[in-house]
Amino acid sequence: MTAARAPSALIDAIDPSRERAYARDLARAFGGALLFTIPLLMTMEMWAAGYVMDGVRLLAFLLAALPLLFFLSHYAGFRRQRSWADDLSDTLVALAVGFIVAGVFLTLLGVIESGDGARRSLAQIALQAVPGAIGALLARRQLSADGGETGREDQASYAGELFLMVVGALFLALNMAPTEEMILIAFRATPWHVLALIVVTLTLMHGLVYSAGFAGQEEHDKPVTAFFHYTLAGYGLVLVTGLFVLWVFGRTAGQSPGELAAAVVVLGLPGGLGAAAARLLV
């Protein structure tokens, strides 16, 4: 009697409508992963980075990305559930989606060939899987027909807001850091260029979130306090994120402190825009 009741209870516990909704969310996750990573998947510098990046840098990148993905899933996971177990599940599924999308399309584009070693192929895929996982987690918020209603619309804490800025900075920094143009711009920049970039980046970060009238724009009754509390603090995290990404791609080697500072500030421009966009989108 007990044995016969167990399969029946299992069948009763399966909600067909919930399973269909999860299947749609999973399909949306694949779409989000592809949309977010297609520029990287078709960028030669990213292909080269997968070939030459040493294991320590790649491992450090993946270990740093895991907690970011986990907490991103708490605010923008592609399922409505919000327990820590569900957040962990979303994180693992998003990573799997990122690996699958990167592996399939790098192979389809001829970047990964049968003669490549397993380590090189895995490194190339892993490097692209992280932005793919970010796209998978943001897919429900940005691509769903219900306007991103995830059941997670509670206000993020101060730490949560700063964390979202780091995620946005990381994503855009990944698009720019591998390119030669970043180093060329930093090499040609004078101290006045660097100072101007800092001022412009801070202005854009603050204006996009509080003044430009975009969807998701925030209101604050004390704009000066908001500047120091959010924008300036977030910009500091953007610079730290940029420095880390430059190190991951081997861009810090052989540079003087002044050259490295210029490169970090240059990368801080797209990183700052990504940080501001993350607060608007998530």
Side-chain angles (χ1 to χ4, degrees), residues 63-125:
L63 290 178
L66 285 174
L68 292 180
L69 292 172
F70 177 76
F71 284 105
L72 178 60
S73 72
H74 182 70
Y75 292 107
F78 57 86
R79 298 193 303 177
R80 285 184 169 83
Q81 291 90 344
R82 55 170 303 125
S83 70
W84 291 113
D86 289 319
D87 292 337
L88 178 60
S89 176
D90 277 2
T91 301
L92 296 177
V93 171
L95 270 175
V97 169
F99 271 93
I100 292 171
V101 168
V104 169
F105 279 88
L106 287 176
T107 302
L108 182 64
L109 295 171
V111 179
I112 294 178
E113 300 176 344
S114 58
D116 293 337
R119 182 197 171 282
R120 284 185 172 182
S121 299
L122 182 61
Q124 285 189 316
I125 294 171

Side-chain angles (χ1 to χ4, degrees), residues 2 17 19 23 26 30 36 40 60 69 98 107 111 132 150 159 186-187 199 201:
T2 302
S17 62
E19 297 304 316
L26 190 59
F30 275 96
F36 272 69
L40 294 173
L69 292 172
T107 302
V111 179
T150 64
F187 176 76
V199 173
T201 303

Side-chain angles (χ1 to χ4, degrees), residues 40 43-51 124 127-128 131 174 178 249:
L40 294 173
T43 299
M44 184 171 62
E45 288 89 351
M46 285 294 289
W47 308 341
Y51 273 95
Q124 285 189 316
L127 194 59
Q128 308 253 20
L174 285 174
F249 287 101

